[in-house]
Amino acid sequence: MLKAFTYMFKDFDWKNDLLPLWIMIFVAEFIINFAGLFSPFALSGKTTPLFYIILCIGFILTFIPCGYGMESLKSYLSASDKFQLAEINIGKNFIKGLKFMLAFSFYGISLLIILLLLGFLNKLFLNMHITPLSFIVVSFSCLILIISDFLLIAATCKFAKSNSLLSFLRLPSLYNIINANVGKYFIGFILFSILMGIFCLIRVILLSLLIQKGFFLMLIYSVLISIISTYTALVFLYIFKNSVNSDSV
């Protein structure tokens, strides 16, 4: 798995492979961050429709690099040896990214419904002063959250290859994917979780230092975070590919 952090410098040409990927991520990142300059927080509590319009445009544009990432993961899962990024097709990448967001939303909504029902049960048991049952419900809720996170790598690989909106909800097939390579999958999940935590921490630190300090520093933040996002995305692609057995996806 250590190769995940260096392979992109050996296997990819920065001008033909890395630069186009960075540009797609930068454009979406810049527009979302540009919207922040019109947020109620930046305007001392004032609201403007520009904030919501620009933010929505930026969010929609994230579908393109997201879909491109899914196409690249599909290509990587199908490759027998050397990994090559997918060809850029803005329309195809946009649709793939949109479908991924919908598939992930179905997953999130299903999880939310389950947690709300468990929360209702927990409140009911607390009102009835049945503490042991309340503890069991809370523990079960935490277990569901952990399992849902654990399934993300398998579900993402499943979607990338099948393009199905229900990829995240097909639990038996996800179990088979994990079970086919459980040792490496567990290592991949730990690495993914740690790196995601580090990435979010870096993002928050840079955000607090730069984003609310005017256009120029917002531009610097967008450049830095898009470079970090590009590198992190390529690391995740390698981890996801090597966490599963491609034939089981």
Side-chain angles (χ1 to χ4, degrees), residues 58-206:
F59 176 71
I60 291 173
L61 287 176
T62 62
F63 296 170
I64 298 173
C66 177
Y68 179 73
M70 291 300 103
E71 284 295 326
S72 295
L73 180 57
K74 179 182 179 180
S75 173
Y76 199 11
L77 288 169
S78 302
S80 57
D81 43 20
K82 189 175 179 180
F83 170 44
Q84 292 183 341
L85 292 172
E87 293 185 5
I88 296 176
N89 184 317
I90 299 299
K92 183 180 180 180
N93 297 155
F94 178 84
I95 296 298
K96 183 99 173 184
L98 174 60
K99 294 182 74 172
F100 175 81
M101 292 295 185
L102 288 174
F104 188 76
S105 296
F106 293 156
Y107 184 63
I109 291 170
S110 301
L111 180 61
L112 180 61
I113 291 172
I114 292 172
L115 292 176
L116 286 174
L117 290 174
L118 290 172
F120 173 78
L121 281 177
N122 180 51
K123 185 177 180 180
L124 181 65
F125 292 144
L126 285 175
N127 291 337
M128 296 172 65
H129 303 290
I130 310 177
T131 306
L133 287 180
S134 174
F135 176 77
I136 291 173
V137 170
V138 172
S139 300
F140 188 58
S141 300
C142 293
L143 180 62
I144 288 177
L145 283 173
I146 293 171
I147 292 174
S148 65
D149 289 340
F150 191 67
L151 293 174
L152 282 178
I153 292 178
T156 302
C157 292
K158 185 70 176 177
F159 172 83
K161 207 165 183 180
S162 69
N163 211 31
S164 170
L165 293 176
L166 300 178
S167 298
F168 285 78
L169 301 177
R170 290 176 174 164
L171 300 183
S173 62
L174 299 184
Y175 169 79
N176 291 333
I177 292 172
I178 296 170
N179 194 49
N181 201 10
V182 65
K184 286 188 176 181
Y185 189 91
F186 185 76
I187 294 172
F189 170 71
I190 296 298
L191 267 178
F192 171 69
S193 301
I194 293 172
L195 291 175
M196 182 58 75
I198 293 173
F199 174 75
C200 291
L201 181 61
I202 292 173
R203 191 179 187 94
V204 169
I205 292 172
L206 289 177

Side-chain angles (χ1 to χ4, degrees), residues 18-39:
L18 302 182
L19 185 60
L21 175 58
W22 172 77
I23 289 173
M24 286 190 290
I25 294 175
F26 170 75
V27 170
E29 187 71 43
F30 173 78
I31 293 176
I32 289 175
N33 295 331
F34 184 68
L37 299 178
F38 300 92
S39 68

